[in-house]
């Protein structure tokens, strides 16, 4: 098993989300989807109140070109969103609400497409509703659950867990034995590690 | 051809330097070694006066673990240096002085081993002298050249060039058509790009 830690505003998490099920299945490794928020981590760890790609334009310029190349190689469409980063708070709560009924992965991929292909404002409930339905969830019930104290606490807990386990970017992958890998380009290495170190999982 | 832009203090540049000749030869791509200094870029672009891996410990902790894994996969020894980052100014000047006589690559690899395996202070002339000799250069003449106005200006020019071309980290690879790739893990992609886009080189 590997945990897939992802933030909906994160550009590199878009190709990771779109391909993780395929490559993990090929590797025979299960994926646990762990939505979290990067904003609180950027602030606590680096004193940032905006994406580092906005704060440091030279890194931002490279990132957009790099993501373009990655998406081209993966055959994924990409639109430079008119707003970046977008607020993924509600979407992350909805993703957590979907875990019990198994539509989190499908919903999450649709949110990434809404943000990075259709250029939609994923912070809005009316944008998320059809995505929940397309992923097999019940939109109104899901949004109600997303606004419950339980789900809000679960997301906060994910953010705290991420911080405690050394996460500082998205996507991140954590194996069952606690090994952390950061970046879409580390997904294969994380899966390989998970295959080679299964002790705790089978213990 | 690809340009290999590297700073001697940079951890990820160590495995890149050790493997670039092998993988570039396999790809049929020539490598131009371009020593530069990252400090002035970190300061100008991000306001940093120390390595981001020191300024942001959570990133530093991950980086050391990540580099450990990379070196293990590559069969490269790694010692966490007792001083990080080390001052690579003199070594970069020596590397430039060696270009004409063709010992820059060999010398540069020895400097990385001195820094990240033998844990030696690469800022010191007496540390660099034997490395120059082992790479086929004449130590005293090389150090004299390294301290010449011409070589000092050439290194400054490299730093300015790096800045102008969007470099913000090390290692970076730039293809003949100006495509920038950042990171040891992008070396294969850069070589692939160089193979597929040779128009300008052959024009």
């Amino acid at each position: 098993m590997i945990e897939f830690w992802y933030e909906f505003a994160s550009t590199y998490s878009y190709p990771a989300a779109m391909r993780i099920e395929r490559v993990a299945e090929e590797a025979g490794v299960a994926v646990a989807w762990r939505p979290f928020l990067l904003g609180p981590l950027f602030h606590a760890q680096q004193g940032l109140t905006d994406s580092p790609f906005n704060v440091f334009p030279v890194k931002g310029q490279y990132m957009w070109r790099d993501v373009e190349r990655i998406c081209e190689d993966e055959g994924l469409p990409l639109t430079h969103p008119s707003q970046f980063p977008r607020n993924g708070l509600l979407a992350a709560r909805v993703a957590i609400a979907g875990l019990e009924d198994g539509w989190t992965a499908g919903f999450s991929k649709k949110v990434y497409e809404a943000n990075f292909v259709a250029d939609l404002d994923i912070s809005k409930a009316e944008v998320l509703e059809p995505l929940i339905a397309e992923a097999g969830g019940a939109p109104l019930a899901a949004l109600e659950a997303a606004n419950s104290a339980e789900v809000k606490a679960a997301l906060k807990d994910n953010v705290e867990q991420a911080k405690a386990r050394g996460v500082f970017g998205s996507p991140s992958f954590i194996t069952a034995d606690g090994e952390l890998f950061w970046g879409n380009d580390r997904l294969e290495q994380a899966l390989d590690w998970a295959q080679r170190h299964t002790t705790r999982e089978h213990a």
Side-chain angles (χ1 to χ4, degrees), chain A:
Chain A
M1 187 273 294
I2 61 168
E3 297 173 35
F4 170 38
W5 290 81
Y6 61 103
E7 145 78 56
F8 283 116
S10 155
T11 47
Y12 286 104
S13 305
Y14 159 49
M18 302 310 283
R19 71 195 192 90
I20 191 169
E21 291 169 304
R22 185 184 77 238
V23 292
E25 193 182 341
E26 283 165 11
V29 173
V31 178
W33 292 63
R34 299 267 187 272
F36 77 111
L37 301 175
L38 207 40
L41 270 64
F42 279 156
H43 188 253
Q45 296 165 341
Q46 301 184 53
L48 296 174
T49 54
D50 191 358
S51 164
F53 297 124
N54 290 339
V55 177
F56 309 116
V58 67
K59 299 188 87 166
Q61 195 181 346
Y62 176 79
M63 178 277 287
W64 288 110
R65 181 67 187 132
D66 195 37
V67 171
E68 258 177 43
R69 290 188 302 230
I70 291 167
C71 288
E72 201 179 305
D73 284 350
E74 287 286 318
L76 293 171
L78 175 71
T79 306
H80 192 123
S82 52
Q83 190 194 350
F84 176 82
R86 283 207 166 99
N87 185 331
L89 174 63
L90 181 59
R93 286 175 177 164
V94 170
I96 286 178
L99 284 171
E100 205 175 318
D101 293 334
W103 48 263
T104 297
F107 168 74
S108 298
K109 288 187 285 182
K110 288 185 184 300
V111 174
Y112 280 112
E113 289 177 324
N115 192 4
F116 294 111
V117 184
D119 191 21
L120 297 172
D121 185 352
I122 58 164
S123 74
K124 291 192 156 40
E126 59 265 34
V127 168
L128 301 182
E129 277 175 22
L131 310 182
I132 298 167
E134 287 166 32
L140 296 185
L143 285 166
E144 200 183 309
N147 286 311
S148 69
E150 193 186 336
V151 166
K152 287 180 180 178
L155 179 58
K156 268 193 191 166
D157 185 61
N158 271 11
V159 173
E160 288 311 309
Q161 255 197 62
K163 206 183 292 179
R165 295 167 77 185
V167 171
F168 57 90
S170 176
S172 287
F173 312 101
I174 305 181
T175 60
D177 59 340
E179 195 75 14
L180 171 67
F181 297 86
W182 170 52
N184 171 63
D185 52 14
R186 290 292 192 280
L187 174 52
E188 281 74 9
Q189 195 188 3
L191 291 170
D192 184 56
W193 187 282
Q195 285 179 311
R196 285 186 292 123
H197 302 77
T198 51
T199 326
R200 274 206 209 169
E201 275 180 274
H202 296 165

